[in-house]
Amino acid sequence: MSAATSNPALSGRTDAAAESAASGASGRFLSLPYLFLRATTAGGGLVGGLVQTFVFARILDPERFSIFILVGTLGIALWLSDIGLVKIIFVRMRAWLLGGAQPGASVVWHATAIVILYFLLGIVSTILCFVGALAFGAGVYGGLELALFFLFTAITLVWFALRNISLAVDDFIFFESMEATRRILHVGFMLATLPLIGLPLMAFLVIANLIWVVLFVVMIARLSRKGALQPTVAGFPRHLRSFFRDNRKEVVQGGTYAVNEFYLYNFSYAIVPVAYGLGAPTIILDTLFKVMRGATVLYSAASDVALPRQTRAHNEGDRRTLILSTWMAAGLASLPGIVIGIALVFFSEPMFRLLLGNSAVMPKPIVDLMIVLLAANLIQTVSNFLLIHTGYFKVIARVSVLVSLAATLVAGIAIAVGADLTGFIRAFTAIYVASSLCYLTLALRGPLAKKS
């Protein structure tokens, strides 16, 4: 069923050719254009993270590099404010699109309110970052650099919301085209800061954020024309209150999961600089997590490709198609996982030497742990995508709390017994593997166990 026929708010407001293409893409078991675009943008995510490390290792000294790492981590920390809100919007809007549930047009107002909220959070947090940088003696110019880098990282929260809204209304091909454009421009201008061209870091940060502005204008106008967003900020507080009132239970459950997932991936950034110092230890940790986050983007891309078919099958009670589409997600995700694993096994030493320069040396035992984490991450990403997008907020919330507690306990023990950085990461890996198996079990006993 197309957006125009299932939703009055979407009817008559969608470009016919675009709607036909999106509807056809979502109806096929595998959309090849979407697969190509999503693979391209996901690969761009991995390349972008590594290029950033490559560039900063050459234009910043190790201590300033590690400060930018921490500021970037704070920018990513803004995602904590999402607490699963976007996934609730996705589930509600997708159910409305597929005709399997109501709440009617209110979901569009709710989506608009969440997007506005995330914009405000990004702007206010950037101002606070600038003030904090001044307080720590960075100076006006240095404070502006850090604040703009924070904004460059943090504003992806809004982009994340727009991606999910686009996916919910089957407009994913256009969104991924914009995402590919963004990746190319951001990586290109970042490389221009290397000594060969010599673009000032401040100039890159200004240009990168202006690129964001243009992309947001294009995507918000597009989604407004399709009826997935309202082209106004009027009534924002009222609609935001309505969203939290109507989805109170899901907000608590989804928020519990989101907070604990964020904690699991980021608590090490607070511990390692204190326990092992800035400079090389922090850079090694950040490089490990950049590879993990890059792999997660690739795995998520594979899951995104399967998601339209998964959600349709789940909505229709078609267990066979749901299982097949989940296997498709796992199979597609395994391809980049295998490539990255082979690269780490055979080429890790020259690869990290090129990447990190003189900033740090990546220990071989940590590379081995990285491979284990990548395999566990694949299992967890595919399982969690299915659980979240079919509304299993309650069960994943419970497991995420236990995982966070276990990770904190094990990390504390590792430091208390005098473990080095490798030992610390080994302890984290053990907990992460256990958590991935837990989420796999939940998927097998939850949506995949449902009878048609």
Side-chain angles (χ1 to χ4, degrees):
M1 184 181 297
S2 72
T5 58
S6 62
N7 290 334
L10 298 176
S11 179
R13 302 176 63 185
T14 307
D15 178 79
E19 181 181 349
S20 176
S23 198
S26 65
R28 292 193 297 269
F29 194 84
L30 175 61
S31 169
L32 294 180
Y34 184 40
L35 174 62
F36 172 76
L37 278 170
R38 195 64 185 93
T40 301
T41 57
L46 177 60
V47 170
L50 296 178
V51 165
Q52 182 177 299
T53 297
F54 177 83
V55 170
F56 281 10
R58 283 155 180 79
I59 67 172
L60 303 173
D61 62 73
E63 184 171 344
R64 191 162 176 240
F65 183 11
S66 59
I67 291 172
F68 268 82
I69 287 173
L70 295 178
V71 169
T73 302
L74 289 175
I76 295 172
L78 192 63
W79 286 54
L80 185 61
S81 60
D82 174 60
I83 60 171
L85 306 185
V86 169
K87 295 306 180 182
I88 296 171
I89 291 293
F90 174 90
V91 170
R92 295 285 183 264
M93 191 170 283
R94 189 67 178 162
W96 183 30
L97 178 81
L98 298 176
Q102 288 295 322
S106 64
V107 71
V108 177
W109 286 106
H110 290 168
T112 305
I114 295 301
V115 170
I116 294 170
L117 173 65
Y118 289 175
F119 267 120
L120 292 175
L121 286 171
I123 293 169
V124 171
S125 299
T126 299
I127 294 171
L128 291 176
C129 178
F130 176 66
V131 172
L134 291 180
F136 280 95
V140 175
Y141 190 87
L144 279 173
E145 278 190 334
L146 291 173
L148 287 172
F149 181 65
F150 175 91
L151 180 62
F152 169 69
T153 305
I155 207 67
T156 53
L157 175 63
V158 183
W159 198 239
F160 170 72
L162 295 179
R163 164 176 267 144
N164 277 270
I165 294 168
S166 299
L167 189 59
V169 298
D170 288 337
D171 197 35
F172 39 79
I173 291 179
F174 182 83
F175 179 91
E176 292 306 324
S177 299
M178 293 297 97
E179 171 69 347
T181 301
R182 174 184 87 82
R183 292 289 187 188
I184 292 169
L185 291 174
H186 279 160
V187 168
F189 279 107
M190 190 179 295
L191 287 170
T193 63
L194 289 169
L196 183 64
I197 299 177
L199 181 71
L201 179 59
M202 176 67 83
F204 159 71
L205 293 170
V206 171
I207 293 169
N209 282 295
L210 287 176
I211 290 169
W212 273 127
V213 171
V214 173
L215 289 169
F216 284 133
V217 169
V218 171
M219 277 309 308
I220 290 172
R222 166 92 175 185
L223 290 172
S224 296
R225 287 195 302 271
K226 291 180 70 67
L229 288 176
Q230 295 291 350
T232 177
V233 298
F236 160 65
R238 174 165 48 88
H239 295 304
L240 190 62
R241 288 194 300 271
S242 171
F243 170 79
F244 283 105
R245 183 181 63 248
D246 295 350
N247 300 281
R248 186 180 297 110
K249 182 173 66 174
E250 290 82 1
V251 167
V252 172
Q253 294 169 350
T256 299
Y257 168 75
V259 168
N260 283 282
E261 274 292 280
F262 175 84
Y263 177 80
L264 180 65
Y265 285 101
N266 291 278
F267 81 103
S268 300
Y269 282 96
I271 294 175
V272 168
V274 175
Y276 303 103
L278 287 170
T282 301
I283 292 170
I284 289 169
L285 177 79
D286 181 64
T287 303
L288 182 148
F289 277 104
K290 269 195 172 69
V291 173
M292 270 193 71
R293 281 194 293 268
T296 301
V297 170
L298 294 169
Y299 301 157
S300 298
S303 298
D304 275 344
V305 171
L307 193 57
R309 202 75 192 110
Q310 283 178 312
T311 50
R312 284 181 182 275
H314 183 263
N315 182 71
E316 295 165 1
D318 185 354
R319 181 170 177 262
R320 179 177 178 276
T321 300
L322 181 60
I323 292 173
L324 288 175
S325 54
T326 302
W327 272 111
M328 180 179 74
L332 291 173
S334 68
L335 298 178
I338 291 170
V339 171
I340 297 171
I342 291 173
L344 290 174
V345 169
F346 295 103
F347 309 109
S348 62
E349 184 179 347
M351 185 170 64
F352 287 117
R353 191 189 315 121
L354 173 66
L355 187 65
L356 300 177
N358 296 323
S359 299
V361 176
M362 180 65 71
K364 182 63 169 63
I366 292 182
V367 174
D368 295 337
L369 292 170
M370 197 182 297
I371 295 169
V372 176
L373 285 168
L374 289 174
N377 192 16
L378 190 155
I379 295 170
Q380 180 161 317
T381 300
V382 174
S383 300
N384 282 10
F385 247 75
L386 178 60
L387 289 163
I388 291 168
H389 292 95
T390 52
Y392 282 76
F393 298 113
K394 185 176 181 179
V395 290
I396 61 175
R398 290 175 176 173
V399 171
S400 68
V401 172
L402 296 177
V403 172
S404 291
L405 291 173
T408 303
L409 177 63
V410 170
I413 293 173
I415 292 173
V417 301
D420 59 7
L421 181 62
T422 301
F424 177 87
I425 294 174
R426 185 177 292 114
F428 173 85
T429 301
I431 295 299
Y432 194 87
V433 170
S435 74
S436 69
L437 296 176
C438 286
Y439 288 119
L440 174 61
T441 302
L442 291 177
L444 292 173
R445 297 180 63 182
L448 294 175
K450 279 187 170 290
K451 303 298 181 183
S452 57

